[in-house]
Amino acid sequence: KENEFYIKFYTHASLEITCGNDTIFTDPWFDGPAFGRGWWPLYKIPNYSYERLSKASIIYISHFHSDHLSFYTLNKLFKINPEVHFVMAKLKQPIWRGGVGGNIQDIGFKNLHIIELGTWYNLSDDTRLMILPDGMYDILDTCLLVEYKGYKIMNFVDCCMPNNRILPNDLEIILSDFAGG
């Protein structure tokens, strides 16, 4: 159906994946610097970006680097909707703790869903997601597999070796990384 499924790019690794009534945002970095003021978002975001982010079914955070776990963005988001839900992988170095900027719970967010790598997380009857490791940096980085009505989309994010190079055979869309360290 028209507008039933689409992917919208915002900036850097920030995507909005709409699957019917479910909306997944990835690594929202809309404002502020990353890496000690060394990086800034390349593209200006649309005026409606925070409103859409605040209504997401789930926000996926791939890893704790400040260009993926942006405390500037999350502090603004908290003022709009402190009840938003996040999903992150259970890693040896917890993503939610963040790096230099603190952690998500310090902002006040409570709806953190920490899931095991390689397990499905159901958003609805039609939409589910799975977080997979980076085969090279499995304690740090993750990638995302989304399935909607049997169609699969994989977002490599920053993974150098997504899921140890074991990918589903039936992917419809691959969102690949653009720089490999």
Side-chain angles (χ1 to χ4, degrees), residues 35-77:
F35 298 112
R37 303 187 64 81
W39 289 14
W40 292 83
L42 181 60
Y43 300 103
K44 185 176 188 238
I45 59 167
N47 292 336
Y48 57 79
S49 300
Y50 277 100
E51 179 184 346
R52 293 190 63 87
L53 179 62
S54 73
K55 295 176 181 174
S57 305
I58 202 89
I59 298 172
Y60 160 70
I61 306 291
S62 63
H63 60 291
F64 68 82
H65 286 160
S66 55
D67 57 330
H68 298 268
L69 177 59
S70 167
F71 288 99
Y72 291 95
T73 300
L74 296 182
N75 277 304
K76 285 186 176 182
L77 174 61

Side-chain angles (χ1 to χ4, degrees), residues 1-158:
K1 297 176 185 175
E2 188 174 336
N3 296 321
E4 179 181 6
F5 170 82
Y6 65 89
I7 300 171
K8 178 171 178 42
F9 170 76
Y10 284 80
T11 188
H12 200 62
S14 303
L15 302 168
E16 177 183 16
I17 304 170
T18 299
C19 303
N21 294 323
D22 301 306
T23 304
I24 302 160
F25 265 84
T26 66
D27 294 332
W29 175 32
F30 292 168
D31 290 298
F35 298 112
R37 303 187 64 81
W39 289 14
W40 292 83
L42 181 60
Y43 300 103
K44 185 176 188 238
I45 59 167
N47 292 336
Y48 57 79
S49 300
Y50 277 100
E51 179 184 346
R52 293 190 63 87
L53 179 62
S54 73
K55 295 176 181 174
S57 305
I58 202 89
I59 298 172
Y60 160 70
I61 306 291
S62 63
H63 60 291
F64 68 82
H65 286 160
S66 55
D67 57 330
H68 298 268
L69 177 59
S70 167
F71 288 99
Y72 291 95
T73 300
L74 296 182
N75 277 304
K76 285 186 176 182
L77 174 61
F78 184 79
K79 292 174 185 170
I80 300 167
N81 181 5
E83 300 302 319
V84 72
H85 288 254
F86 292 88
V87 66
M88 291 159 250
K90 182 177 181 182
L91 298 178
K92 289 178 186 173
Q93 185 168 348
I95 294 169
W96 60 268
R97 284 195 188 147
V100 177
N103 74 59
I104 293 175
Q105 290 176 321
D106 286 346
I107 295 171
F109 291 112
K110 305 280 187 239
N111 298 316
L112 308 180
H113 306 275
I114 312 301
I115 63 173
E116 295 286 337
L117 292 166
T119 61
W120 286 109
Y121 179 90
N122 294 314
L123 287 178
S124 67
D125 289 340
D126 293 326
T127 309
R128 62 186 186 161
L129 58 87
M130 180 185 292
I131 302 175
L132 298 166
D134 182 355
M136 190 171 284
Y137 302 106
D138 64 345
I139 64 166
L140 167 68
D141 223 334
T142 65
C143 52
L144 181 68
L145 177 64
V146 176
E147 183 178 46
Y148 175 64
K149 292 185 175 182
Y151 296 100
K152 293 187 180 105
I153 303 103
M154 191 156 182
N155 182 358
F156 291 173
V157 192
D158 282 359

